[in-house]
Amino acid sequence: YKPKEINPEFTPAVSLIIKCHNSEATIEDTILSCINQDYPVEKLELIVVDYDSTDGTKVKVEQVFARLFQEPEQFETKERLHFKHCNDIENCDAINSASYGLLVILESGNTMNPYCIRTLVQPFLDDKMAAVSGRIITPNAFDNHVTKIVSVMHFWQERIVNASESVFGAVTTIPENMVCYRKDIITDRKAGVK
C-alpha cells in the first residue's frame, strides 16, 4: 500500500487476463480500457476468458475483437488479443497460455486508467515482490444494494485493511478484482513447488 515512483524505463512484458461471466453489458469497456494503456504495444497481451456465460458475452467479445483486428498493423492486435471460452473455471488454463512473466488478472466490469499497467508493474523492480493489487473504484457503485455493498467491500479491503497491514511491511491478502502476480509463483504453486 505504498506509492512507488514511476520508472518510465521499466516496462516488463505483461499478460492481462480478463475474467468474465455474463458480462455482456460491461465487457467492451473493460477490453478497451485494457488495450488503451500507456505501455509498449509489443509488451502487452490480452486474454479474455469467458466462464460459460449464458448471455451475449461471447458474441460481444468477438465483435469487439473484430473491430480491434481492423486497427493498423503497428498495434499488433491479432498477435496480442486472445479469447478463451471455458465451461469449467477449474480446468481453464489461461495462466499457462499467457506468454509473459507478469500476469494482471482483472474482473470484467472494472476498467483501467491508461497508466494502470505502468503503475502496477513498478513494485516488481524488487525481485522479492510476488503480487501487487490495483485500486478498484466500482463504476456502478450506486446502481443497487448489491453494487453498494461491493463498493464498500472494495473500499474496506483496499484502503483500510491493506493500508493498516502495510505499516508492518506486509499485506496478507490481495484483492482479486485487479492484481498483478509473477507467473512463476502461480505456476509453481499449482505444481506443488514450494
Side-chain angles (χ1 to χ4, degrees):
Y1 191 76
K2 296 177 183 171
K4 296 290 277 184
E5 190 172 314
I6 302 291
N7 175 351
E9 304 302 314
F10 185 67
T11 55
V14 175
S15 294
L16 205 158
I17 300 172
I18 300 173
K19 304 183 302 183
C20 62
H21 176 75
N22 291 342
S23 304
E24 180 181 11
T26 59
I27 192 64
E28 181 173 3
D29 289 341
T30 303
I31 291 170
L32 294 177
S33 77
C34 292
I35 280 295
N36 293 323
Q37 290 294 304
D38 176 39
Y39 210 75
V41 169
E42 69 280 2
K43 293 185 176 184
L44 187 62
E45 138 183 90
L46 178 65
I47 303 167
V48 177
V49 181
D50 175 35
Y51 296 110
D52 208 21
S53 292
T54 56
D55 66 353
T57 300
K58 183 176 187 268
V59 172
K60 180 60 94 173
V61 171
E62 289 169 347
Q63 289 171 348
V64 173
F65 274 26
R67 257 193 0 253
L68 290 170
F69 288 158
Q70 294 177 22
E71 292 291 327
E73 238 179 80
Q74 74 259 27
F75 296 114
E76 301 176 18
T77 53
K78 289 181 180 156
E79 293 82 19
R80 36 184 220 118
L81 299 180
H82 313 284
F83 182 48
K84 294 175 78 74
H85 181 79
C86 304
N87 295 328
D88 179 9
I89 192 169
E90 296 300 320
N91 293 319
C92 186
D93 203 9
I95 290 171
N96 280 333
S97 69
S99 303
Y100 303 128
L102 289 181
L103 303 174
V104 173
I105 301 174
L106 178 71
E107 289 186 359
S108 65
N110 297 312
T111 56
M112 298 180 147
N113 77 43
Y115 304 102
C116 187
I117 298 295
R118 190 174 292 275
T119 304
L120 271 178
V121 301
Q122 294 305 308
F124 290 97
L125 276 163
D126 179 351
D127 290 338
K128 295 178 185 173
M129 186 60 62
V132 175
S133 68
R135 181 169 285 167
I136 298 292
I137 299 170
T138 308
N140 57 347
F142 300 105
D143 285 2
N144 57 53
H145 293 300
V146 173
T147 57
K148 288 177 186 177
I149 291 168
V150 168
S151 181
V152 169
M153 287 172 33
H154 289 170
F155 184 87
W156 176 257
Q157 179 65 48
E158 296 167 9
R159 313 244 176 118
I160 308 295
V161 175
N162 287 359
S164 60
E165 289 176 339
S166 71
V167 171
F168 301 104
V171 175
T172 58
T173 59
I174 299 287
E176 65 180 41
N177 304 45
M178 180 177 19
V179 63
C180 185
Y181 296 102
R182 286 192 192 278
K183 181 180 177 182
D184 59 344
I185 289 174
I186 296 174
T187 53
D188 288 352
R189 193 110 172 107
K190 285 176 107 178
V193 177
K194 296 185 182 194

